[in-house]
Amino acid sequence: MTKQPMKDPWLQLRRFTSARIALGRAGDSLPTDALLDFELAQARARDAVHEVLKADLLLERAKEAGFSALKVHSAASDRSEYLRRPDRGRMLDEPSKLQLQAMQADERPDIAFVIADGLSALAAERHAFPLLELMPAKLPGWNIGPVVVAEQARVALGDEIGGCLRAAFVVVLIGERPGMSSPDSLGIYLTAQPRSGRTDAERNCISNVRPEGLNYEMAAKKLAYLLMSARKLGTTGVLLKDHSDLLALEDEGLRAQKAIS
Amino acid sequence: MSSFTQSCGGRNYLFDDLKTLLAKASPARSGDSLAGIAAESEEERIAARMALVELPLSYFLSETLVPYETDEVTRLIIDTHDSIAFQQISHLTVGDLRNWLLSPEADTETLAKAAPGIMPEMAAAVSKLMRNQDLILVAQKCHVVTRFRNTIGLPGRLSVRLQPNHPTDDVTGIGASMLEGLLFGCGDAVIGINPATDSLSIVVRLLKMIDDFRLRYEVPTQSCVLTHVTNTIEAVEQGAPVDLVFQSIAGTERANASFGVNLGLLREAQDAALSLHRGTVGNNVMYFETGQGSALSANAHHGLDQQTCEARAYGVARAFRPLLVNTVVGFIGPEYLYNGKQIIRAGLEDHFCGKLLGLPMGCDICYTNHAEADQDDMDTLLTLLVVAGVHFIMGVPGADDIMLNYQSTSFHDSLYARRILRLRRAPEFEEWLARMGVTDERGELRQIASGNQLMLHASKMLEGN
């Protein structure tokens, strides 16, 4: 094996990114230590996919934080069915539907928040609350509806939930598919006038919310910006462009990132 | 519309219409089962193939799979079908077409002439009768060459899309991965970034970063930020340095609508990029991505199997003379392609269908962590596709995309592919790498010394931060 020595500054480029750079080469190929690093990370990501959401804990936490909260389940009975049948993950099971329909408030909420396991329960458990808690202060005057904790859920389950609650917007905080360096990345999906049958082009997405990615404060600012723009525009989706002042936000993000590394 | 019957082993199988026949004849995959259109037994699958073998190609001109009146993709396919190119195969059945494609008579030149006469649905149909080795053998005979600032698709060449994504679109982080990719000799297909947000200001900033670098070091390649086509049009209007227009596309009008696009919008974007006259050796300005399952995922498949939908997406692509078409084969997840075997099969089908239709096919050889697949499966598909003559693959640092959260092929993998088949880079890019001291006269990577120009660039990045 001839391992190419990686001299500075090549090796030092790793300071700028968590991407797998400057790994060296064994011939043309990956050196053994880098190969095993990769395999360990993949093993962890595979494990994250099969982790079960601690829904009752989230429910308690929502109530402690002063939100009204309830738990629903999609029509996918377990993880195996969830992976093979995304259509069932986009529909409520019958008891959940009845429960939601029964609790229609007199006043239509401006927003319903949904915390969903998606493909990483870990992400929902770790990041949904720290983000959620920042939102009321950023949305003065908005009527925030119940927080719905959803098990075996896909993004579009939020459409049916938001529709049942007659919310003006639904915001789904959902575990993204685990990557090797991020088994716990949270995605935020924003949809106006939610109801079953909305398409992905009618949503806006904020991705990779976690301390090492887009941090809570930046994500909350972006979400508030999008919500306020969407309210003015009367819609979400491809027509709604993100012109928020990202340069300032990004500097903040970079600082946060360096503080962690 | 007529139904098809096939007797097989003392049983009669009935297939209601052409799309049902095609779906039942498809090799097994989870997406068709999810849609409820897959064959219910292995015998039914073969019975469907037996009926498909007898079907004259001309039949595809008389029965549209999605109505002409309500689907602009069908209209595009029918209205642009070249009946003169079709003449030499018009007397064949689907079964005959397989035999003909495998015969020496169907050489590179003949296949290129026939391409405009082959409808996407015909390509899909014949692929269902073909084994993996057939898909490789025929694709290898199809040559397609495209150009922008370099020449992609020449025989004996393999290009790489350098994919330096970063979870927060940090310009320096992206720059670090980009530099690493170039030092591995990657980036001749495109330097293409998937941004983490839709923000136009970030898109423009990234475009400028790559373009400044490209101009400074005279890199003969093209850049792309893979954002929605409406964003790219806005970027052009703002005077941003847009080389290529990216868009995800699918095989039905409704699926495209779910992506927020239609043919008119794609045309508008193509015109916007062409108006900039930025290509130096050619003006193929479109970069499309596709993948089996996208139409079903948008509930817009009209009962078609996912592989036929995918071939129709290539029907859309070829109307725009793209520089690159990338089937992102394992990205969509296990509900469409369950495991390594299905991903490998789909990758070979997509590459074959695209090439047969005359497209510059590349493949993002990839999988997600919820699919039953791993890097060994990617090694297999990579090896098969480079034998088949794939135009380009992805180059992702360590095969781990830290923004999109999936695994693809790495810079190292591209070196492996070049080594086993002695594949060279795009000629203009190859010369540039030698000039920059990255490769020697045989195209082998040199030991990079700290005095190398790109290393000095890295040093400056480090000093600036």
Side-chain angles (χ1 to χ4, degrees):
Chain A
M1 186 184 97
T2 56
K3 185 169 167 181
Q4 182 178 313
M6 287 295 168
K7 291 178 197 151
D8 292 347
W10 195 334
L11 205 55
Q12 294 217 18
L13 285 177
R14 293 173 90 160
R15 267 176 41 201
F16 299 124
T17 176
S18 53
R20 289 168 198 267
I21 61 172
L23 303 175
R25 289 192 277 126
D28 290 332
S29 307
L30 209 55
T32 307
D33 52 351
L35 174 65
L36 268 180
D37 280 352
F38 181 100
E39 290 180 338
L40 177 60
Q42 207 221 340
R44 286 181 176 151
R46 298 268 296 147
D47 287 344
V49 169
H50 297 278
E51 177 96 16
V52 177
L53 185 73
K54 297 181 185 68
D56 290 327
L57 276 180
L58 285 172
L59 215 54
E60 261 173 54
R61 200 165 160 192
K63 285 174 182 162
E64 278 166 20
F67 295 100
S68 69
L70 73 154
K71 187 170 83 170
V72 298
H73 200 289
S74 81
S77 56
D78 56 22
R79 193 81 320 203
S80 155
E81 187 178 19
Y82 176 84
L83 289 175
R84 283 178 296 109
R85 295 292 304 266
D87 53 329
R88 300 220 176 135
R90 296 186 192 116
M91 299 186 283
L92 289 166
D93 68 4
E94 211 47 41
S96 300
K97 199 187 293 180
L98 293 174
Q99 183 191 4
L100 276 177
Q101 283 165 349
M103 65 171 291
Q104 275 189 12
D106 302 334
E107 203 179 346
R108 298 176 56 158
D110 293 321
I111 310 182
F113 283 101
V114 177
I115 300 178
D117 48 5
L119 284 166
S120 171
L122 215 55
E125 285 163 12
R126 284 186 185 164
H127 309 313
F129 261 97
L131 177 84
L132 196 56
E133 284 167 347
L134 297 174
M135 293 316 297
K138 293 205 180 331
L139 297 168
W142 286 55
N143 173 18
I144 296 179
V147 171
V148 181
V149 178
E151 293 175 281
Q152 307 296 0
R154 300 264 169 185
V155 170
L157 189 70
D159 296 340
E160 192 177 358
I161 295 171
C164 284
L165 295 171
R166 297 184 304 149
F169 293 97
V170 68
V171 174
V172 180
L173 312 173
I174 188 166
E176 296 182 326
R177 50 184 169 196
M180 300 207 309
S181 37
S182 56
D184 64 339
S185 178
L186 188 81
I188 306 176
Y189 290 83
L190 163 64
T191 312
Q193 285 99 45
R195 56 177 160 73
S196 296
R198 288 279 180 216
T199 69
D200 289 343
E202 295 174 294
R203 311 183 200 290
N204 294 86
C205 172
I206 301 170
S207 184
N208 195 37
V209 179
R210 59 196 176 104
E212 304 85 349
L214 190 70
N215 68 30
Y216 305 137
E217 181 59 31
M218 287 160 66
K221 272 189 192 166
K222 251 173 166 328
L223 177 57
Y225 172 88
L226 283 173
L227 279 166
M228 287 189 264
S229 309
R231 199 185 224 183
K232 261 184 238 155
L233 195 65
T235 183
T236 48
V238 292
L239 292 174
L240 173 63
K241 297 289 179 203
D242 182 1
H243 292 294
S244 61
D245 184 12
L246 283 157
L247 301 188
L249 287 176
E250 197 175 57
D251 291 342
E252 271 181 51
L254 205 59
R255 272 201 302 280
Q257 230 175 311
K258 282 182 180 158
I260 282 158
S261 55
Chain B
M1 192 185 301
S2 61
S3 61
F4 302 86
T5 52
Q6 181 67 43
S7 69
C8 178
R11 249 188 92 171
N12 272 324
Y13 288 94
L14 176 72
F15 307 103
D16 285 342
D17 51 18
L18 181 55
K19 68 183 173 191
T20 306
L21 182 67
L22 288 169
K24 301 274 187 187
S26 252
R29 64 205 60 199
S30 49
D32 292 339
S33 300
L34 175 65
I37 56 176
E40 279 162 31
S41 68
E42 291 307 314
E43 187 178 271
E44 187 186 26
R45 193 184 323 280
I46 304 307
R49 287 184 195 168
M50 289 163 78
L52 193 57
V53 162
E54 303 295 330
L55 190 72
L57 291 180
S58 54
Y59 190 85
F60 286 89
L61 293 165
S62 62
E63 184 179 331
T64 56
L65 299 175
V66 186
Y68 183 93
E69 296 71 25
T70 55
D71 187 279
E72 65 171 358
V73 175
T74 301
R75 291 198 290 278
L76 174 74
I77 290 168
I78 297 284
D79 296 350
T80 59
H81 181 247
D82 184 335
S83 55
I84 293 163
F86 183 60
Q87 265 172 17
Q88 63 176 323
I89 53 168
S90 60
H91 59 292
L92 302 179
T93 64
V94 179
D96 297 335
L97 178 61
R98 174 179 175 275
N99 292 334
W100 181 76
L101 289 171
L102 294 168
S103 74
E105 192 193 325
D107 59 13
T108 298
E109 201 185 327
T110 309
L111 286 170
K113 271 192 205 146
I118 300 174
M119 286 168 64
E121 292 86 346
M122 296 173 190
V126 73
S127 80
K128 297 177 195 301
L129 303 179
M130 295 168 82
R131 279 179 39 200
N132 285 2
Q133 66 166 267
D134 302 343
L135 298 172
I136 293 169
L137 194 146
V138 178
Q140 202 193 48
K141 295 197 280 186
C142 299
H143 294 176
V144 181
V145 177
T146 56
R147 295 179 177 86
F148 188 75
R149 277 195 202 96
N150 57 26
T151 310
I152 298 168
L154 293 170
R157 307 272 174 172
L158 170 70
S159 295
V160 178
R161 167 188 163 193
L162 207 176
Q163 184 170 312
N165 296 343
H166 188 276
T168 57
D169 294 331
D170 177 61
V171 172
T172 318
I174 286 171
S177 290
M178 180 177 89
L179 215 49
E180 156 115 347
L182 292 169
L183 290 168
F184 270 78
C186 295
D188 48 349
V190 61
I191 299 172
I193 304 166
N194 299 87
T197 76
D198 300 331
S199 157
L200 188 61
S201 65
I202 295 279
V203 168
V204 171
R205 219 170 128 189
L206 294 175
L207 283 169
K208 281 186 179 151
M209 186 275 284
I210 311 179
D211 204 53
D212 289 347
F213 181 89
R214 180 188 68 78
L215 289 168
R216 183 155 166 203
Y217 296 98
E218 301 175 323
V219 197
T221 193
Q222 36 284 331
S223 66
C224 187
V225 175
L226 285 72
T227 186
H228 193 264
V229 75
T230 52
N231 250 355
T232 303
I233 291 172
E234 266 196 67
V236 170
E237 281 165 5
Q238 288 191 8
V242 173
D243 289 342
L244 304 183
V245 173
F246 163 80
Q247 185 56 47
S248 292
I249 54 168
T252 69
E253 179 175 335
R254 265 177 31 216
N256 282 326
S258 84
F259 288 142
V261 298
N262 56 52
L263 299 176
L265 189 58
L266 293 175
R267 188 71 65 197
E268 188 189 327
Q270 184 185 26
D271 289 344
L274 284 171
S275 74
L276 301 177
H277 300 287
R278 291 173 60 83
T280 50
V281 298
N283 62 0
N284 300 113
V285 296
M286 302 301 278
Y287 173 11
F288 291 121
E289 286 190 351
T290 65
Q292 290 190 26
S294 59
L296 175 60
S297 145
N299 195 24
H301 62 296
H302 298 270
L304 267 63
D305 69 88
Q306 66 186 35
Q307 192 259 331
T308 301
C309 280
E310 176 72 5
R312 283 169 53 99
Y314 304 151
V316 173
R318 75 169 164 182
F320 296 90
R321 302 184 305 110
L323 182 76
L324 308 162
V325 178
N326 181 17
T327 170
V328 189
V329 69
F331 189 73
I332 193 158
E335 60 271 35
Y336 303 94
L337 295 168
Y338 187 69
N339 55 19
K341 181 181 169 74
Q342 294 185 5
I343 292 171
I344 289 165
R345 172 75 197 181
L348 293 175
E349 288 167 348
D350 294 353
H351 179 256
F352 160 80
C353 286
K355 283 282 174 71
L356 191 62
L357 296 175
L359 287 172
M361 291 305 293
C363 184
D364 189 342
I365 298 162
C366 64
Y367 65 102
T368 60
N369 288 311
H370 60 317
E372 290 297 321
D374 62 20
Q375 222 62 26
D376 287 338
D377 298 306
M378 301 304 103
D379 288 346
T380 304
L381 182 54
L382 170 62
T383 307
L384 296 176
L385 278 173
V386 289
V387 173
V390 71
H391 277 198
F392 65 101
I393 58 172
M394 303 307 109
V396 177
D400 169 16
D401 190 307
I402 57 172
M403 199 286 282
L404 291 172
N405 291 338
Y406 76 121
Q407 286 88 256
S408 179
T409 47
S410 66
F411 306 143
H412 295 81
D413 292 336
S414 74
L415 297 181
Y416 152 78
R418 294 189 190 293
R419 176 78 59 201
I420 55 164
L421 289 176
R422 297 189 181 82
L423 297 171
R424 297 168 62 181
R425 301 170 175 92
E428 299 86 349
F429 194 76
E430 186 176 60
E431 280 170 33
W432 177 80
L433 287 172
R435 212 159 57 232
M436 295 299 289
V438 174
T439 54
D440 64 19
E441 63 286 349
R442 292 167 302 140
E444 299 278 335
L445 292 187
R446 287 178 188 273
Q447 294 274 344
I448 303 293
S450 53
N452 177 283
Q453 281 188 68
L454 295 178
M455 270 299 137
L456 290 173
H457 188 86
S459 302
K460 280 191 194 122
M461 274 170 70
L462 289 158
E463 277 164 28
N465 284 271

